[in-house]
Amino acid sequence: MQTEKKISRNRFFKILGSILIFPFFYAWISSVQKHKKTQAGNRELIYPLDLSAGVHFEDQIIIIKETGKFTILSSRCTHLGCKINKFENNQLICPCHGSAFDIEGSCVKGPAGKPLQRHSYSIDSENRKLIVHLS
Ligand code: FES
């Protein structure tokens, strides 16, 4: 006599859901590890130290890597807060109203009148990490 095991539809979807949720859970855990709060309450962003030279647009910041130095700027335009996402003719350009900033963050074209906020950073050479300190 052969016994047939049936899985109910509810149980099937629970199992399937458990399998499908794993990649999202893993991605969430990874992002939590990338954004770390210090004991002082300031946040840190962690990036690999071996970023290629040039301008890197991240979610909240712009990382400019030149030989032997990083410049970390806020990606929020000082005019009305749009996210700066373009680098052209050696300038960072805001897509909303066209303000332009040099790679040190100084405003070179309005309507924004203030420089971009700079963030400090430290280097964890043992773990090959760039640690950006958000204030
Ligand atoms: S928000 Fe950037 S120029 Fe207006």
Side-chain angles (χ1 to χ4, degrees):
M1 183 170 166
Q2 191 175 9
T3 59
E4 191 176 308
K5 281 193 168 183
K6 286 189 174 180
I7 298 175
S8 72
R9 184 184 298 190
N10 278 350
R11 183 156 170 77
F12 171 77
F13 283 115
K14 281 181 183 174
I15 292 169
L16 182 64
S18 300
I19 292 168
L20 293 178
I21 198 84
F22 182 75
F24 296 104
F25 181 72
Y26 180 77
W28 177 74
I29 290 292
S30 298
S31 75
V32 167
Q33 289 174 341
K34 192 175 174 185
H35 297 77
K36 206 170 105 184
K37 266 194 171 178
T38 63
Q39 287 182 335
N42 294 336
R43 290 189 320 133
E44 293 179 341
L45 300 173
I46 300 170
Y47 297 92
L49 193 55
D50 57 356
L51 285 172
S52 59
V55 178
H56 301 269
F57 294 96
E58 298 294 332
D59 187 36
Q60 302 170 58
I61 60 171
I62 302 167
I63 301 172
I64 300 156
K65 184 178 183 184
E66 299 171 282
T67 310
K69 118 175 193 192
F70 289 95
T71 302
I72 315 293
L73 301 170
S74 169
S75 63
R76 291 183 64 102
C77 178
T78 55
H79 178 225
L80 294 177
C82 286
K83 185 178 171 186
I84 296 168
N85 59 3
K86 192 167 155 188
F87 185 65
E88 205 173 78
N89 298 325
N90 222 28
Q91 294 180 339
L92 300 160
I93 312 291
C94 178
C96 291
H97 310 102
S99 289
F101 304 86
D102 66 19
I103 58 169
E104 295 298 319
S106 298
C107 183
V108 294
K109 181 183 166 222
K114 294 180 184 169
L116 296 175
Q117 181 183 7
R118 289 180 79 122
H119 296 291
S120 63
Y121 67 90
S122 56
I123 290 176
D124 177 355
S125 45
E126 184 178 321
N127 295 308
R128 309 283 309 147
K129 301 285 183 196
L130 168 69
I131 302 165
V132 176
H133 308 279
L134 300 179
S135 44

